[in-house]
Amino acid sequence: MNKEADSVIPYQGLVVSCQALQDEPLYGSHHMVAMAMAAKEAGAAGIRAGGLADIKAIKEAAGLPLIGLVKIQHENSEVYITPTLEDALAIHAAGADIVAVDGTGRLRPDGRTLAETIAGLKRAGAAVMADIATFEEGMLAAEWGADYVSTTLCGYTRETAGTPLPNLDLLERLAAVLDIPVVAEGGISEPRQAADALRLGAAFVVVGSAITRPQWIAARYVQAMRGPVSGGSGEAER
């Protein structure tokens, strides 16, 4: 398989995650469109966006390949990135070129397995990105038909909590054995780390907080001026 030819997003490009939570100052599609346009002007190869309104608005304005998702918390499940097949199909219908779903083995709120979720999206003609946390999850997601595997959730599941990020070892292991594009995401806060990810086999690199979350960016300066600051990059992909 020619992994490069099989990718919706140009190889070795930067994908900028333009997302804001409801309680954050930049919440709202107009803000996220502006972020996406700034990323495009900088040379970004694609955008990662959350929520139907933002996906539609950014796709129309920026015209870049778009990875879409939605974040919803459910009481009966730890899965919050595109937790149900219904959510995933809605994202596809909204215009996302790639639909990102939780690629872990955790219980989904609609009772479907990851394999069933991927199969449902493939029947609808959607390209699927599995956001995984471990090597085994990445291998299974690929086996079940995911078009992309991303390291997004490493460090943010019970099994991987406390893992130093970015986990470039996980990326390198997956890229060495999988015939589908492997994406570097999670904890990438310096340009050097993004370049290292490409060298280790990443198809492309997704960066969120370090580019599009000004309250986190400013806090790093404030903390550094007061004393030592940790090297992490905040929440999983926003």
Side-chain angles (χ1 to χ4, degrees):
M1 176 186 292
N2 184 336
K3 292 195 284 186
E4 182 171 352
D6 200 50
S7 178
V8 173
I9 294 174
Y11 252 51
Q12 299 204 330
L14 170 67
V15 173
V16 177
S17 180
C18 298
Q19 299 180 62
L21 301 176
Q22 194 165 358
D23 61 349
E24 295 180 337
L26 294 186
Y27 180 75
S29 295
H30 58 299
H31 292 309
M32 292 301 100
V33 166
M35 284 287 190
M37 295 303 293
K40 180 179 181 179
E41 187 174 314
I47 301 295
R48 180 163 165 132
L52 302 183
D54 286 7
I55 290 168
K56 291 176 182 177
I58 291 172
K59 187 64 181 175
E60 180 178 351
L64 290 173
L66 191 145
I67 303 165
L69 63 139
V70 65
K71 292 181 178 176
I72 303 174
Q73 296 282 358
H74 289 264
E75 290 185 359
N76 65 333
S77 174
E78 295 179 330
V79 172
Y80 66 95
I81 294 179
T82 318
T84 70
L85 177 58
E86 181 181 8
D87 296 326
L89 292 172
I91 290 165
H92 175 57
D97 299 286
I98 302 169
V99 178
V101 301
D102 182 298
T104 73
R106 296 179 294 184
L107 176 68
R108 298 174 127 72
D110 61 2
R112 289 183 173 87
T113 64
L114 176 61
E116 291 169 335
T117 300
I118 292 173
L121 279 166
K122 301 298 284 184
R123 284 193 297 269
V128 182
M129 175 178 286
D131 289 345
I132 59 89
T134 68
F135 179 80
E136 292 74 19
E137 289 168 354
M139 296 297 291
L140 285 173
E143 179 182 335
W144 291 331
D147 300 283
Y148 301 82
V149 165
S150 178
T151 58
T152 311
L153 287 174
C154 182
Y156 301 97
T157 63
R158 293 186 184 184
E159 296 78 10
T160 63
T163 301
L165 300 178
N167 189 344
L168 297 183
D169 289 339
L170 173 61
L171 164 75
E172 185 177 22
R173 289 180 65 200
L174 288 168
V177 297
L178 291 182
D179 290 329
I180 60 172
V182 178
V183 179
E185 180 173 7
I188 297 172
S189 58
E190 304 290 345
R192 169 186 52 81
Q193 295 170 338
D196 287 345
L198 293 182
R199 178 176 55 81
L200 294 172
F204 51 86
V205 178
V206 179
V207 180
S209 296
I211 296 176
T212 58
R213 200 176 188 194
Q215 69 270 34
W216 179 81
I217 298 168
R220 294 182 76 195
Y221 286 87
V222 172
Q223 291 167 5
M225 293 163 68
R226 292 175 176 171
V229 60
S230 65
S233 69
E235 297 175 48
E237 71 96 35
R238 301 290 303 252

